[in-house]
Amino acid sequence: MDGGRERGTDTRREPPCSTGQSHGTRCSLPQDGSILFKVKARHAPGSSSFLLSHVLHPPPLPSCLSRGLQAAASDMKTTAYRGCVSSPDSGVKSESHKKSLDVPCGPAIPSRGIHPEEMRPPMERIPRHKTFSFYFRNLPKTNIRNCNYLCFEVRGKGRPSDAYVHRGVFQNQVYPHAPRHAELCFLSWFQDEMLSPHEQQRVTWFVSWSPCSSCAKRVAQFLQQHRNVTLSIFAARLSYFWDPATRQGLRRLCGEGARVDIMSLQDFEYCWDHFVNKKNKSFKPWWNLDRNYNFLVTELEEIRHSLDEDTFLENFNNDLWPGKTCLCYEVTAPVSDTRVPLGQERGFLHSKHGTPEPCCHAEFLLLERILSWKLNPKLRYMVNCFISWSPCAACAQYIANFLRENLHVHLYIFASRIYRRNDYKEGLRTVWEAGAQMAIMNYKDFQYCWQTFVDHQGRPFPAWQGLTRRSSRQSVELWEILQNQEN
């Protein structure tokens, strides 16, 4: 199959005579070399079953072969093999598929069975430089690179020195360990060994394949539950980027604050220096590296910048009351400026549900992302935010402090509805006083968001009943709140 991760199964099994049972038929190997067949015949429901047995004696063998056969039979051990998915596929494995991988065998030997609780520790480096060049080659479509490698870095916030960086490499886990994708191997190891509930931690991944839909969902849930962890993902290739479930998984990652990008030449060189046993060899870019990079960036931009229709309507419909905030943004930078990373000039973010702290709100996540770009203070940058709820009092204070410290950033906030809790009026005035422009979204704003941020498949914006009336009423309310500050 072109373009993505393929499924691979471990189909190794013992010879039929030594494996044990299959569909009611049992086969054993006596010490004398004869073969005993036992067939259990089944009748109609309610009737008894009976057992037929028959012994097949082989022709006489030379004494040396006979002794060898007896020794082999006495030493023979039956082992149960379980097929496992070893390729970085879409990650969605149905129960029927899992059952089809189970090979009916005899009793398993404990020392060779699969132990779900066991997990391989991370490698320090990829052992061979040719392995890196093969599996990280950024081909837009390939059907022979079944394995996924994940090179990671874990840093504590405020600790830029390499002395505080923990590096390692995970690979898809297969037999004899429990089958597991590299992303889930990292999460399991990280939670057991490195996760700190009281420290801000920055995690960076360099992966040969972008996460499948199942792994993306698990990683997004992890980020939602651990607000002190920020994640950046740099992928050499996109896995099944045409599949709707995979696209939605990457969008959810972006919505939870993860940075998802395509590996550039500089990223490949960095991985070569820090994660590969290169043996004093320098990294040699392959043919079409830059061309493939541009193609993959274009595909990722289309995925990353597009909301699902239902997600947009559920969050921005000003007649509904969603439980979390959705924020769509676009950054306009001077033509000569290259500080804004390619593909991040437009996107969307979600607040982390169930976490009242402002550091988990969409506004905070956006401003932290802008700070990470280290914009040129001598240039002017314009940021447009289309947000489902106006900022709360805590976020409003953070936005005001950000604008006072970054005078080169000009912020325009367009809110679908007003958030009316705690000291929201004072918060809105604080943002207004700090220099941000604020307004309530009208029909044209909703339509613009639909056309710019939604994967609408050519469908027009479905305006809901009462849109203009509610927008006008809240616009008057916002103006009265802001006017009170001037008086």
Side-chain angles (χ1 to χ4, degrees):
M1 183 180 296
D2 289 339
R5 308 174 174 187
E6 301 77 24
R7 298 183 182 272
T9 57
D10 188 348
T11 57
R12 297 171 295 174
R13 61 181 74 184
E14 298 293 333
C17 289
S18 64
T19 54
Q21 60 186 8
S22 178
H23 303 294
T25 301
R26 301 182 60 189
C27 173
S28 60
L29 186 60
Q31 295 290 334
D32 62 354
S34 62
I35 302 177
L36 173 63
F37 287 93
K38 297 180 180 180
V39 181
K40 188 176 182 181
R42 299 183 182 274
H43 293 283
S47 62
S48 60
S49 60
F50 60 92
L51 187 69
L52 296 178
S53 63
H54 184 65
V55 179
L56 298 182
H57 296 277
L61 296 176
S63 59
C64 59
L65 294 181
S66 177
R67 289 194 299 271
L69 179 61
Q70 293 177 10
S74 63
D75 293 338
M76 186 173 294
K77 299 178 180 180
T78 57
T79 304
Y81 288 90
R82 181 179 296 274
C84 59
V85 176
S86 61
S87 62
D89 60 0
S90 62
V92 181
K93 308 178 187 65
S94 63
E95 290 300 321
S96 61
H97 177 70
K98 292 180 180 178
K99 292 178 181 179
S100 68
L101 295 175
D102 293 341
V103 181
C105 304
I109 299 176
S111 62
R112 297 186 62 188
I114 294 178
H115 304 284
E117 68 278 4
E118 294 183 0
M119 191 188 73
R120 281 185 314 212
M123 300 180 290
E124 291 186 4
R125 289 175 176 261
I126 296 177
R128 300 175 66 247
H129 61 86
K130 290 184 178 179
T131 301
F132 176 83
S133 298
F134 178 79
Y135 283 103
F136 277 82
R137 193 180 183 95
N138 63 343
L139 299 174
K141 294 184 179 181
T142 179
N143 59 356
I144 58 174
R145 288 163 173 80
N146 298 337
C147 189
N148 187 28
Y149 282 88
L150 184 153
C151 306
F152 68 86
E153 288 183 343
V154 180
R155 298 174 183 263
K157 191 172 183 180
R159 298 181 178 182
S161 172
D162 280 355
Y164 298 97
V165 178
H166 194 101
R167 294 188 177 96
V169 180
F170 276 105
Q171 181 184 357
N172 271 17
Q173 187 168 277
V174 295
Y175 179 88
H177 302 274
R180 189 179 301 177
H181 284 192
E183 297 91 335
L184 303 186
C185 289
F186 173 86
L187 289 184
S188 178
W189 169 85
F190 180 70
Q191 292 184 85
D192 293 339
E193 303 291 338
M194 296 291 294
L195 182 61
S196 172
H198 307 296
E199 181 184 10
Q200 294 292 325
Q201 294 177 296
R202 293 179 298 162
V203 178
T204 303
W205 289 354
F206 300 92
V207 291
S208 55
W209 284 107
S210 63
C212 66
S213 59
S214 178
C215 288
K217 179 180 179 180
R218 294 281 297 275
V219 175
Q221 291 173 346
F222 172 84
L223 293 176
Q224 189 178 67
Q225 296 168 1
H226 301 88
R227 55 186 179 272
N228 60 315
V229 179
T230 59
L231 175 64
S232 298
I233 303 175
F234 299 89
R237 294 183 301 272
L238 293 176
S239 169
Y240 291 110
F241 55 85
W242 57 86
D243 177 61
T246 303
R247 297 167 74 92
Q248 175 61 17
L250 294 178
R251 290 178 190 135
R252 182 173 180 182
L253 274 177
C254 294
E256 293 298 340
R259 175 184 175 184
V260 183
D261 275 318
I262 300 299
M263 289 181 66
S264 63
L265 173 61
Q266 291 74 20
D267 297 323
F268 287 115
E269 291 174 340
Y270 184 86
C271 280
W272 182 269
D273 293 335
H274 293 87
F275 298 102
V276 180
N277 186 15
K278 56 184 179 179
K279 296 182 178 179
N280 296 324
K281 295 180 180 290
S282 59
F283 177 71
K284 295 181 179 179
W286 45 81
W287 182 68
N288 268 353
L289 186 152
D290 290 334
R291 181 179 178 182
N292 295 341
Y293 167 76
N294 292 330
F295 171 83
L296 292 170
V297 165
T298 302
E299 292 294 334
L300 181 59
E301 284 183 5
E302 183 180 344
I303 297 172
R304 185 169 49 195
H305 299 158
S306 300
L307 282 166
D308 293 334
E309 293 182 358
D310 292 341
T311 301
F312 175 80
L313 295 175
E314 289 171 1
N315 284 275
F316 281 88
N317 188 330
N318 59 6
D319 189 32
L320 302 177
W321 299 85
K324 62 180 180 179
T325 301
C326 181
L327 183 152
C328 302
Y329 73 91
E330 55 183 1
V331 180
T332 303
V335 178
S336 59
D337 181 72
T338 58
R339 299 293 182 94
V340 180
L342 182 64
Q344 293 195 42
E345 66 279 359
R346 189 172 72 246
F348 64 91
L349 295 165
H350 289 286
S351 61
K352 296 186 178 181
H353 186 63
T355 53
E357 291 81 357
C359 64
C360 305
H361 292 186
E363 302 93 322
F364 180 90
L365 297 175
L366 172 61
L367 297 184
E368 285 289 292
R369 177 172 296 184
I370 294 176
L371 286 175
S372 69
W373 298 339
K374 299 180 180 179
L375 302 178
N376 189 344
K378 297 181 180 180
L379 300 177
R380 179 176 178 177
Y381 301 85
M382 298 177 61
V383 181
N384 291 331
C385 292
F386 300 90
I387 189 168
S388 57
W389 288 104
S390 63
C392 66
C395 286
Q397 186 62 52
Y398 185 82
I399 293 172
N401 295 336
F402 172 88
L403 293 176
R404 294 188 186 104
E405 297 172 1
N406 299 272
L407 299 177
H408 55 295
V409 178
H410 299 265
L411 182 63
Y412 298 83
I413 300 176
F414 301 89
S416 173
R417 58 182 73 81
I418 296 176
Y419 181 82
R420 302 180 181 87
R421 285 190 180 180
N422 301 328
D423 299 328
Y424 72 96
K425 294 183 179 181
E426 185 64 28
L428 295 177
R429 296 182 191 123
T430 301
V431 173
W432 178 267
E433 185 181 26
Q437 301 296 313
M438 301 182 64
I440 297 297
M441 294 177 66
N442 56 26
Y443 176 86
K444 291 185 177 180
D445 297 323
F446 287 114
Q447 186 180 49
Y448 177 80
C449 279
W450 176 268
Q451 296 173 349
T452 307
F453 298 102
V454 179
D455 187 13
H456 51 73
Q457 302 294 323
R459 286 180 284 272
F461 169 60
W464 50 88
Q465 187 176 4
L467 182 156
T468 302
R469 176 172 51 84
R470 296 186 185 90
S471 175
S472 300
R473 185 173 63 244
Q474 296 201 53
S475 294
V476 173
E477 181 182 353
L478 177 62
W479 178 248
E480 290 176 350
I481 294 173
L482 301 180
Q483 282 292 100
N484 186 49
Q485 173 67 21
E486 295 180 356
N487 295 335

